[in-house]
Amino acid sequence: MGTGTAPPAPDLVKLPAWQSPQWVAATAGAALTTVLVGVPTAVVPSPLFSRSVPVQWWNYPVLAATAVLAGLVLATFVTPPRGTAPRAPERPVDQGDPAAKTAGRLGSAGGLLSLLAVGCPVYNKLVLVLLGTSGALTYWAPLQPLVAVVSLVLLAEAALRKLSTADACPVPVRR
């Protein structure tokens, strides 16, 4: 039996109580993520980018999950309209909150890894320099599904951390 307090549980029950600004932000964030990750990797067809290796079946669900999780994380930064949300207990606002920074880093790392995971293995310049074309197809391509799983775990953890601490970072009250 530990004597410490348990970390705050993810408050997923708050999602149905979100107001339209949060849902608009989540939807816009998901759409933007789909474009920013899907178009350059050619998972979303576009005349701007192409692939020499066909899109894999798992690229689509990874892109969709990445977009949803990124949209949820983005929406946690949107404050509901005044007087519509339950008021959080007054606490001092800590601008240097390490938990918020960690969630931001996890989200950023997850997004970058998603881009690498769904991208064409032979268009990744770093992989090409290190392994060459045959090495990219032989070694990097089989690792991409694992990178996708890691990216989604990081994004999910970032979303859960942001959702569980949404009330812990209230906007300062103007007096």
Short mmCIF file of all heavy atoms in Angstrom, two decimals, residues 17-82:
data_model
loop_
_atom_site.label_atom_id
_atom_site.label_comp_id
_atom_site.label_asym_id
_atom_site.label_seq_id
_atom_site.Cartn_x
_atom_site.Cartn_y
_atom_site.Cartn_z
N ALA A 17 -19.40 16.86 -22.14
CA ALA A 17 -19.75 18.18 -21.61
C ALA A 17 -19.01 19.30 -22.34
O ALA A 17 -19.24 20.48 -22.06
CB ALA A 17 -19.43 18.25 -20.12
N TRP A 18 -18.14 18.96 -23.29
CA TRP A 18 -17.44 19.99 -24.02
C TRP A 18 -18.44 20.86 -24.77
O TRP A 18 -19.45 20.38 -25.28
CB TRP A 18 -16.47 19.38 -25.02
CG TRP A 18 -15.11 19.07 -24.46
CD1 TRP A 18 -14.72 19.09 -23.16
CD2 TRP A 18 -13.98 18.66 -25.22
NE1 TRP A 18 -13.42 18.72 -23.05
CE2 TRP A 18 -12.93 18.45 -24.30
CE3 TRP A 18 -13.75 18.44 -26.56
CZ2 TRP A 18 -11.67 18.05 -24.69
CZ3 TRP A 18 -12.50 18.03 -26.95
CH2 TRP A 18 -11.46 17.84 -26.03
N GLN A 19 -18.12 22.12 -24.87
CA GLN A 19 -18.94 23.08 -25.60
C GLN A 19 -18.48 23.09 -27.06
O GLN A 19 -17.45 22.53 -27.42
CB GLN A 19 -18.79 24.48 -24.98
CG GLN A 19 -19.17 24.54 -23.52
CD GLN A 19 -20.65 24.29 -23.33
OE1 GLN A 19 -21.46 24.81 -24.08
NE2 GLN A 19 -21.00 23.48 -22.35
N SER A 20 -19.23 23.79 -27.89
CA SER A 20 -18.92 23.81 -29.32
C SER A 20 -17.52 24.35 -29.62
O SER A 20 -16.89 23.85 -30.57
CB SER A 20 -19.97 24.58 -30.11
OG SER A 20 -20.08 25.89 -29.66
N PRO A 21 -16.96 25.33 -28.88
CA PRO A 21 -15.60 25.75 -29.23
C PRO A 21 -14.56 24.62 -29.13
O PRO A 21 -13.66 24.53 -29.95
CB PRO A 21 -15.29 26.86 -28.21
CG PRO A 21 -16.62 27.38 -27.81
CD PRO A 21 -17.55 26.21 -27.85
N GLN A 22 -14.72 23.75 -28.12
CA GLN A 22 -13.78 22.63 -28.00
C GLN A 22 -13.97 21.65 -29.16
O GLN A 22 -12.99 21.17 -29.72
CB GLN A 22 -13.97 21.88 -26.67
CG GLN A 22 -13.37 22.61 -25.51
CD GLN A 22 -14.44 23.28 -24.66
OE1 GLN A 22 -15.58 23.45 -25.06
NE2 GLN A 22 -14.05 23.68 -23.47
N TRP A 23 -15.21 21.36 -29.51
CA TRP A 23 -15.45 20.41 -30.61
C TRP A 23 -15.01 20.99 -31.95
O TRP A 23 -14.51 20.25 -32.81
CB TRP A 23 -16.91 19.97 -30.63
CG TRP A 23 -17.21 19.04 -29.49
CD1 TRP A 23 -18.05 19.26 -28.45
CD2 TRP A 23 -16.63 17.75 -29.26
NE1 TRP A 23 -18.03 18.20 -27.59
CE2 TRP A 23 -17.16 17.24 -28.07
CE3 TRP A 23 -15.71 16.97 -29.95
CZ2 TRP A 23 -16.82 16.01 -27.54
CZ3 TRP A 23 -15.35 15.73 -29.43
CH2 TRP A 23 -15.91 15.26 -28.24
N VAL A 24 -15.20 22.28 -32.14
CA VAL A 24 -14.73 22.92 -33.38
C VAL A 24 -13.20 22.83 -33.43
O VAL A 24 -12.62 22.50 -34.47
CB VAL A 24 -15.22 24.38 -33.47
CG1 VAL A 24 -14.50 25.14 -34.57
CG2 VAL A 24 -16.73 24.41 -33.68
N ALA A 25 -12.54 23.12 -32.31
CA ALA A 25 -11.08 23.04 -32.26
C ALA A 25 -10.60 21.61 -32.51
O ALA A 25 -9.63 21.38 -33.23
CB ALA A 25 -10.55 23.56 -30.93
N ALA A 26 -11.28 20.63 -31.91
CA ALA A 26 -10.89 19.22 -32.11
C ALA A 26 -11.06 18.82 -33.57
O ALA A 26 -10.19 18.16 -34.15
CB ALA A 26 -11.72 18.32 -31.19
N THR A 27 -12.17 19.22 -34.17
CA THR A 27 -12.42 18.88 -35.58
C THR A 27 -11.43 19.57 -36.50
O THR A 27 -10.88 18.95 -37.41
CB THR A 27 -13.87 19.26 -35.95
OG1 THR A 27 -14.77 18.60 -35.06
CG2 THR A 27 -14.19 18.88 -37.38
N ALA A 28 -11.20 20.85 -36.25
CA ALA A 28 -10.23 21.59 -37.08
C ALA A 28 -8.82 21.03 -36.89
O ALA A 28 -8.06 20.90 -37.87
CB ALA A 28 -10.27 23.08 -36.73
N GLY A 29 -8.47 20.70 -35.65
CA GLY A 29 -7.15 20.12 -35.39
C GLY A 29 -6.98 18.78 -36.07
O GLY A 29 -5.91 18.48 -36.62
N ALA A 30 -8.03 17.95 -36.07
CA ALA A 30 -7.96 16.65 -36.74
C ALA A 30 -7.83 16.83 -38.24
O ALA A 30 -7.04 16.14 -38.90
CB ALA A 30 -9.20 15.82 -36.39
N ALA A 31 -8.60 17.77 -38.80
CA ALA A 31 -8.52 18.01 -40.24
C ALA A 31 -7.13 18.54 -40.63
O ALA A 31 -6.54 18.10 -41.63
CB ALA A 31 -9.61 19.00 -40.68
N LEU A 32 -6.63 19.48 -39.85
CA LEU A 32 -5.31 20.04 -40.14
C LEU A 32 -4.22 18.97 -40.02
O LEU A 32 -3.32 18.90 -40.86
CB LEU A 32 -5.02 21.21 -39.19
CG LEU A 32 -3.72 21.95 -39.42
CD1 LEU A 32 -3.71 22.62 -40.79
CD2 LEU A 32 -3.51 23.00 -38.33
N THR A 33 -4.33 18.12 -39.01
CA THR A 33 -3.36 17.04 -38.85
C THR A 33 -3.42 16.08 -40.03
O THR A 33 -2.39 15.63 -40.53
CB THR A 33 -3.60 16.29 -37.53
OG1 THR A 33 -3.49 17.20 -36.45
CG2 THR A 33 -2.61 15.15 -37.35
N THR A 34 -4.63 15.78 -40.49
CA THR A 34 -4.78 14.89 -41.64
C THR A 34 -4.07 15.47 -42.86
O THR A 34 -3.36 14.76 -43.58
CB THR A 34 -6.27 14.67 -41.96
OG1 THR A 34 -6.90 14.09 -40.82
CG2 THR A 34 -6.46 13.78 -43.17
N VAL A 35 -4.21 16.78 -43.06
CA VAL A 35 -3.56 17.42 -44.21
C VAL A 35 -2.04 17.49 -44.00
O VAL A 35 -1.27 17.13 -44.90
CB VAL A 35 -4.14 18.84 -44.44
CG1 VAL A 35 -3.32 19.61 -45.45
CG2 VAL A 35 -5.59 18.73 -44.89
N LEU A 36 -1.60 17.91 -42.80
CA LEU A 36 -0.17 18.09 -42.56
C LEU A 36 0.62 16.79 -42.55
O LEU A 36 1.80 16.77 -42.87
CB LEU A 36 0.06 18.85 -41.24
CG LEU A 36 -0.35 20.31 -41.24
CD1 LEU A 36 -0.14 20.93 -39.86
CD2 LEU A 36 0.43 21.09 -42.29
N VAL A 37 -0.03 15.70 -42.14
CA VAL A 37 0.65 14.40 -42.14
C VAL A 37 0.32 13.62 -43.41
O VAL A 37 1.21 13.00 -44.00
CB VAL A 37 0.27 13.58 -40.88
CG1 VAL A 37 0.85 12.17 -40.94
CG2 VAL A 37 0.74 14.28 -39.61
N GLY A 38 -0.93 13.66 -43.83
CA GLY A 38 -1.36 12.82 -44.95
C GLY A 38 -0.91 13.27 -46.32
O GLY A 38 -0.60 12.44 -47.17
N VAL A 39 -0.88 14.57 -46.57
CA VAL A 39 -0.52 15.04 -47.91
C VAL A 39 0.97 14.85 -48.21
O VAL A 39 1.31 14.25 -49.24
CB VAL A 39 -0.97 16.51 -48.12
CG1 VAL A 39 -0.41 17.08 -49.41
CG2 VAL A 39 -2.50 16.59 -48.13
N PRO A 40 1.90 15.29 -47.35
CA PRO A 40 3.32 15.09 -47.69
C PRO A 40 3.74 13.62 -47.74
O PRO A 40 4.71 13.29 -48.41
CB PRO A 40 4.08 15.82 -46.58
CG PRO A 40 3.10 16.62 -45.85
CD PRO A 40 1.75 16.09 -46.14
N THR A 41 3.03 12.76 -47.02
CA THR A 41 3.37 11.34 -47.06
C THR A 41 2.63 10.62 -48.17
O THR A 41 2.83 9.42 -48.37
CB THR A 41 3.02 10.68 -45.71
OG1 THR A 41 1.63 10.85 -45.45
CG2 THR A 41 3.85 11.27 -44.58
N ALA A 42 1.76 11.32 -48.89
CA ALA A 42 0.96 10.80 -50.00
C ALA A 42 -0.01 9.71 -49.56
O ALA A 42 -0.45 8.91 -50.38
CB ALA A 42 1.84 10.34 -51.14
N VAL A 43 -0.36 9.68 -48.29
CA VAL A 43 -1.44 8.81 -47.84
C VAL A 43 -2.76 9.43 -48.30
O VAL A 43 -3.68 8.73 -48.71
CB VAL A 43 -1.40 8.62 -46.30
CG1 VAL A 43 -2.61 7.84 -45.81
CG2 VAL A 43 -0.11 7.92 -45.88
N VAL A 44 -2.83 10.76 -48.25
CA VAL A 44 -3.94 11.50 -48.84
C VAL A 44 -3.49 11.89 -50.25
O VAL A 44 -2.50 12.62 -50.40
CB VAL A 44 -4.28 12.76 -48.00
CG1 VAL A 44 -5.31 13.61 -48.71
CG2 VAL A 44 -4.73 12.39 -46.61
N PRO A 45 -4.15 11.39 -51.27
CA PRO A 45 -3.72 11.68 -52.65
C PRO A 45 -3.71 13.18 -52.93
O PRO A 45 -4.60 13.92 -52.52
CB PRO A 45 -4.77 10.98 -53.51
CG PRO A 45 -5.38 9.95 -52.63
CD PRO A 45 -5.32 10.51 -51.23
N SER A 46 -2.67 13.60 -53.63
CA SER A 46 -2.49 15.01 -53.96
C SER A 46 -1.58 15.11 -55.17
O SER A 46 -0.67 14.28 -55.33
CB SER A 46 -1.87 15.72 -52.75
OG SER A 46 -1.13 16.82 -53.12
N PRO A 47 -1.78 16.14 -56.00
CA PRO A 47 -0.86 16.31 -57.12
C PRO A 47 0.52 16.82 -56.67
O PRO A 47 1.47 16.82 -57.45
CB PRO A 47 -1.56 17.34 -58.00
CG PRO A 47 -2.48 18.07 -57.09
CD PRO A 47 -2.87 17.10 -56.02
N LEU A 48 0.64 17.22 -55.41
CA LEU A 48 1.89 17.78 -54.93
C LEU A 48 2.93 16.72 -54.55
O LEU A 48 4.13 16.97 -54.64
CB LEU A 48 1.62 18.66 -53.70
CG LEU A 48 0.67 19.84 -53.91
CD1 LEU A 48 0.37 20.52 -52.59
CD2 LEU A 48 1.25 20.80 -54.92
N PHE A 49 2.48 15.55 -54.09
CA PHE A 49 3.40 14.53 -53.60
C PHE A 49 3.01 13.17 -54.17
O PHE A 49 1.85 12.91 -54.44
CB PHE A 49 3.36 14.45 -52.06
CG PHE A 49 3.83 15.70 -51.39
CD1 PHE A 49 2.92 16.65 -50.97
CD2 PHE A 49 5.18 15.95 -51.18
CE1 PHE A 49 3.34 17.82 -50.35
CE2 PHE A 49 5.60 17.11 -50.57
CZ PHE A 49 4.69 18.05 -50.16
N SER A 50 4.02 12.32 -54.31
CA SER A 50 3.77 10.95 -54.77
C SER A 50 4.68 10.01 -53.97
O SER A 50 5.57 10.45 -53.26
CB SER A 50 4.05 10.82 -56.26
OG SER A 50 5.41 11.06 -56.52
N ARG A 51 4.43 8.73 -54.13
CA ARG A 51 5.21 7.71 -53.43
C ARG A 51 5.74 6.71 -54.45
O ARG A 51 5.05 6.36 -55.41
CB ARG A 51 4.34 6.94 -52.44
CG ARG A 51 3.88 7.72 -51.27
CD ARG A 51 2.90 6.90 -50.45
NE ARG A 51 3.52 5.81 -49.73
CZ ARG A 51 3.57 5.74 -48.41
NH1 ARG A 51 3.04 6.67 -47.67
NH2 ARG A 51 4.15 4.72 -47.83
N SER A 52 6.94 6.20 -54.19
CA SER A 52 7.45 5.13 -55.04
C SER A 52 7.09 3.76 -54.46
O SER A 52 7.12 2.77 -55.17
CB SER A 52 8.96 5.25 -55.20
OG SER A 52 9.59 5.22 -53.95
N VAL A 53 6.73 3.73 -53.17
CA VAL A 53 6.27 2.51 -52.52
C VAL A 53 4.79 2.72 -52.21
O VAL A 53 4.42 3.76 -51.64
CB VAL A 53 7.07 2.24 -51.22
CG1 VAL A 53 6.52 1.05 -50.48
CG2 VAL A 53 8.54 2.06 -51.54
N PRO A 54 3.92 1.79 -52.56
CA PRO A 54 2.49 1.99 -52.33
C PRO A 54 2.15 2.20 -50.85
O PRO A 54 2.84 1.72 -49.96
CB PRO A 54 1.85 0.69 -52.84
CG PRO A 54 2.89 0.00 -53.62
CD PRO A 54 4.21 0.50 -53.19
N VAL A 55 1.05 2.90 -50.62
CA VAL A 55 0.55 3.11 -49.27
C VAL A 55 0.15 1.75 -48.71
O VAL A 55 -0.50 0.95 -49.40
CB VAL A 55 -0.66 4.07 -49.28
CG1 VAL A 55 -1.27 4.20 -47.90
CG2 VAL A 55 -0.25 5.44 -49.82
N GLN A 56 0.54 1.49 -47.47
CA GLN A 56 0.19 0.23 -46.81
C GLN A 56 -1.21 0.34 -46.20
O GLN A 56 -1.66 1.43 -45.85
CB GLN A 56 1.21 -0.10 -45.72
CG GLN A 56 2.64 -0.21 -46.23
CD GLN A 56 2.79 -1.34 -47.23
OE1 GLN A 56 2.41 -2.47 -46.97
NE2 GLN A 56 3.31 -1.03 -48.41
N TRP A 57 -1.88 -0.78 -46.01
CA TRP A 57 -3.25 -0.78 -45.48
C TRP A 57 -3.32 -0.11 -44.11
O TRP A 57 -4.28 0.55 -43.79
CB TRP A 57 -3.80 -2.21 -45.40
CG TRP A 57 -3.12 -3.06 -44.37
CD1 TRP A 57 -2.06 -3.89 -44.58
CD2 TRP A 57 -3.43 -3.14 -42.98
NE1 TRP A 57 -1.68 -4.48 -43.40
CE2 TRP A 57 -2.51 -4.03 -42.40
CE3 TRP A 57 -4.37 -2.54 -42.16
CZ2 TRP A 57 -2.51 -4.34 -41.04
CZ3 TRP A 57 -4.38 -2.85 -40.81
CH2 TRP A 57 -3.46 -3.75 -40.26
N TRP A 58 -2.28 -0.28 -43.29
CA TRP A 58 -2.30 0.24 -41.92
C TRP A 58 -2.02 1.74 -41.87
O TRP A 58 -2.23 2.35 -40.82
CB TRP A 58 -1.32 -0.53 -41.03
CG TRP A 58 0.09 -0.55 -41.56
CD1 TRP A 58 0.66 -1.50 -42.34
CD2 TRP A 58 1.08 0.44 -41.35
NE1 TRP A 58 1.95 -1.16 -42.64
CE2 TRP A 58 2.24 0.03 -42.04
CE3 TRP A 58 1.11 1.64 -40.64
CZ2 TRP A 58 3.42 0.77 -42.04
CZ3 TRP A 58 2.29 2.38 -40.64
CH2 TRP A 58 3.43 1.94 -41.34
N ASN A 59 -1.57 2.35 -42.95
CA ASN A 59 -1.31 3.79 -42.95
C ASN A 59 -2.58 4.60 -42.72
O ASN A 59 -2.55 5.64 -42.05
CB ASN A 59 -0.68 4.24 -44.26
CG ASN A 59 0.74 3.74 -44.48
OD1 ASN A 59 1.18 3.60 -45.60
ND2 ASN A 59 1.48 3.44 -43.42
N TYR A 60 -3.71 4.12 -43.26
CA TYR A 60 -4.97 4.85 -43.13
C TYR A 60 -5.48 4.90 -41.69
O TYR A 60 -5.79 5.97 -41.19
CB TYR A 60 -6.02 4.26 -44.08
CG TYR A 60 -5.62 4.36 -45.53
CD1 TYR A 60 -5.22 3.23 -46.24
CD2 TYR A 60 -5.61 5.58 -46.20
CE1 TYR A 60 -4.84 3.31 -47.57
CE2 TYR A 60 -5.23 5.68 -47.53
CZ TYR A 60 -4.84 4.53 -48.20
OH TYR A 60 -4.46 4.62 -49.52
N PRO A 61 -5.57 3.76 -40.98
CA PRO A 61 -6.02 3.86 -39.59
C PRO A 61 -5.03 4.62 -38.70
O PRO A 61 -5.46 5.30 -37.76
CB PRO A 61 -6.21 2.42 -39.13
CG PRO A 61 -5.63 1.55 -40.18
CD PRO A 61 -5.48 2.38 -41.42
N VAL A 62 -3.74 4.51 -38.97
CA VAL A 62 -2.76 5.26 -38.18
C VAL A 62 -2.95 6.75 -38.40
O VAL A 62 -2.94 7.54 -37.45
CB VAL A 62 -1.31 4.81 -38.50
CG1 VAL A 62 -0.29 5.78 -37.91
CG2 VAL A 62 -1.07 3.41 -37.99
N LEU A 63 -3.15 7.16 -39.65
CA LEU A 63 -3.39 8.58 -39.93
C LEU A 63 -4.68 9.05 -39.26
O LEU A 63 -4.71 10.13 -38.66
CB LEU A 63 -3.46 8.82 -41.44
CG LEU A 63 -3.76 10.26 -41.87
CD1 LEU A 63 -2.69 11.23 -41.36
CD2 LEU A 63 -3.87 10.34 -43.38
N ALA A 64 -5.74 8.24 -39.32
CA ALA A 64 -7.00 8.63 -38.69
C ALA A 64 -6.85 8.75 -37.17
O ALA A 64 -7.32 9.73 -36.57
CB ALA A 64 -8.09 7.61 -39.04
N ALA A 65 -6.20 7.78 -36.54
CA ALA A 65 -6.00 7.83 -35.08
C ALA A 65 -5.11 9.01 -34.69
O ALA A 65 -5.36 9.69 -33.69
CB ALA A 65 -5.41 6.52 -34.59
N THR A 66 -4.08 9.27 -35.48
CA THR A 66 -3.21 10.42 -35.22
C THR A 66 -4.01 11.71 -35.28
O THR A 66 -3.87 12.57 -34.41
CB THR A 66 -2.07 10.47 -36.26
OG1 THR A 66 -1.27 9.30 -36.12
CG2 THR A 66 -1.20 11.70 -36.09
N ALA A 67 -4.86 11.84 -36.27
CA ALA A 67 -5.66 13.06 -36.43
C ALA A 67 -6.62 13.24 -35.26
O ALA A 67 -6.73 14.34 -34.69
CB ALA A 67 -6.43 13.01 -37.75
N VAL A 68 -7.31 12.17 -34.86
CA VAL A 68 -8.26 12.27 -33.75
C VAL A 68 -7.55 12.65 -32.46
O VAL A 68 -7.98 13.55 -31.73
CB VAL A 68 -9.05 10.94 -33.58
CG1 VAL A 68 -9.81 10.91 -32.27
CG2 VAL A 68 -9.99 10.74 -34.75
N LEU A 69 -6.45 11.97 -32.15
CA LEU A 69 -5.73 12.26 -30.91
C LEU A 69 -5.13 13.67 -30.91
O LEU A 69 -5.19 14.37 -29.90
CB LEU A 69 -4.63 11.21 -30.68
CG LEU A 69 -5.15 9.81 -30.34
CD1 LEU A 69 -4.01 8.80 -30.41
CD2 LEU A 69 -5.81 9.80 -28.98
N ALA A 70 -4.57 14.08 -32.04
CA ALA A 70 -4.02 15.44 -32.12
C ALA A 70 -5.12 16.48 -31.97
O ALA A 70 -4.93 17.52 -31.31
CB ALA A 70 -3.27 15.62 -33.44
N GLY A 71 -6.28 16.23 -32.57
CA GLY A 71 -7.41 17.14 -32.42
C GLY A 71 -7.87 17.26 -30.98
O GLY A 71 -8.17 18.35 -30.50
N LEU A 72 -7.93 16.13 -30.26
CA LEU A 72 -8.31 16.16 -28.85
C LEU A 72 -7.30 16.95 -28.02
O LEU A 72 -7.69 17.74 -27.15
CB LEU A 72 -8.45 14.75 -28.30
CG LEU A 72 -9.67 13.96 -28.75
CD1 LEU A 72 -9.61 12.54 -28.23
CD2 LEU A 72 -10.95 14.64 -28.29
N VAL A 73 -6.03 16.73 -28.28
CA VAL A 73 -5.00 17.48 -27.55
C VAL A 73 -5.14 18.97 -27.81
O VAL A 73 -5.12 19.78 -26.89
CB VAL A 73 -3.58 16.98 -27.91
CG1 VAL A 73 -2.52 17.90 -27.33
CG2 VAL A 73 -3.37 15.56 -27.41
N LEU A 74 -5.32 19.34 -29.06
CA LEU A 74 -5.49 20.75 -29.40
C LEU A 74 -6.70 21.35 -28.69
O LEU A 74 -6.64 22.46 -28.17
CB LEU A 74 -5.63 20.92 -30.91
CG LEU A 74 -5.89 22.35 -31.38
CD1 LEU A 74 -4.67 23.22 -31.15
CD2 LEU A 74 -6.29 22.38 -32.82
N ALA A 75 -7.79 20.61 -28.66
CA ALA A 75 -9.03 21.13 -28.07
C ALA A 75 -8.91 21.37 -26.57
O ALA A 75 -9.65 22.18 -26.02
CB ALA A 75 -10.18 20.19 -28.36
N THR A 76 -7.97 20.70 -25.91
CA THR A 76 -7.81 20.92 -24.47
C THR A 76 -7.26 22.31 -24.16
O THR A 76 -7.32 22.76 -23.03
CB THR A 76 -6.89 19.86 -23.82
OG1 THR A 76 -5.60 19.95 -24.40
CG2 THR A 76 -7.47 18.47 -23.98
N PHE A 77 -6.74 22.98 -25.17
CA PHE A 77 -6.22 24.32 -24.97
C PHE A 77 -7.29 25.39 -25.13
O PHE A 77 -7.04 26.56 -24.87
CB PHE A 77 -5.08 24.61 -25.95
CG PHE A 77 -3.83 23.84 -25.66
CD1 PHE A 77 -3.56 22.66 -26.34
CD2 PHE A 77 -2.95 24.27 -24.70
CE1 PHE A 77 -2.42 21.94 -26.07
CE2 PHE A 77 -1.79 23.56 -24.42
CZ PHE A 77 -1.53 22.38 -25.11
N VAL A 78 -8.47 25.00 -25.58
CA VAL A 78 -9.56 25.94 -25.81
C VAL A 78 -10.38 26.06 -24.53
O VAL A 78 -10.83 25.07 -23.98
CB VAL A 78 -10.45 25.48 -26.98
CG1 VAL A 78 -11.64 26.41 -27.15
CG2 VAL A 78 -9.63 25.43 -28.26
N THR A 79 -10.60 27.28 -24.10
CA THR A 79 -11.39 27.53 -22.91
C THR A 79 -12.86 27.65 -23.30
O THR A 79 -13.18 28.35 -24.26
CB THR A 79 -10.94 28.85 -22.24
OG1 THR A 79 -9.52 28.80 -22.09
CG2 THR A 79 -11.58 29.02 -20.88
N PRO A 80 -13.76 26.97 -22.56
CA PRO A 80 -15.18 27.11 -22.89
C PRO A 80 -15.66 28.53 -22.63
O PRO A 80 -15.03 29.28 -21.88
CB PRO A 80 -15.87 26.11 -21.97
CG PRO A 80 -14.91 25.83 -20.89
CD PRO A 80 -13.53 26.10 -21.43
N PRO A 81 -16.76 28.93 -23.25
CA PRO A 81 -17.28 30.28 -23.03
C PRO A 81 -17.53 30.52 -21.54
O PRO A 81 -17.85 29.60 -20.80
CB PRO A 81 -18.59 30.31 -23.82
CG PRO A 81 -18.48 29.20 -24.79
CD PRO A 81 -17.57 28.18 -24.19
N ARG A 82 -17.38 31.77 -21.14
CA ARG A 82 -17.56 32.16 -19.74
C ARG A 82 -18.91 31.73 -19.20
O ARG A 82 -19.93 31.92 -19.84
CB ARG A 82 -17.45 33.66 -19.61
CG ARG A 82 -16.35 34.04 -18.71
CD ARG A 82 -16.31 35.51 -18.53
NE ARG A 82 -14.99 35.77 -17.99
CZ ARG A 82 -14.48 36.93 -17.85
NH1 ARG A 82 -15.15 37.98 -18.22
NH2 ARG A 82 -13.28 37.07 -17.36
#
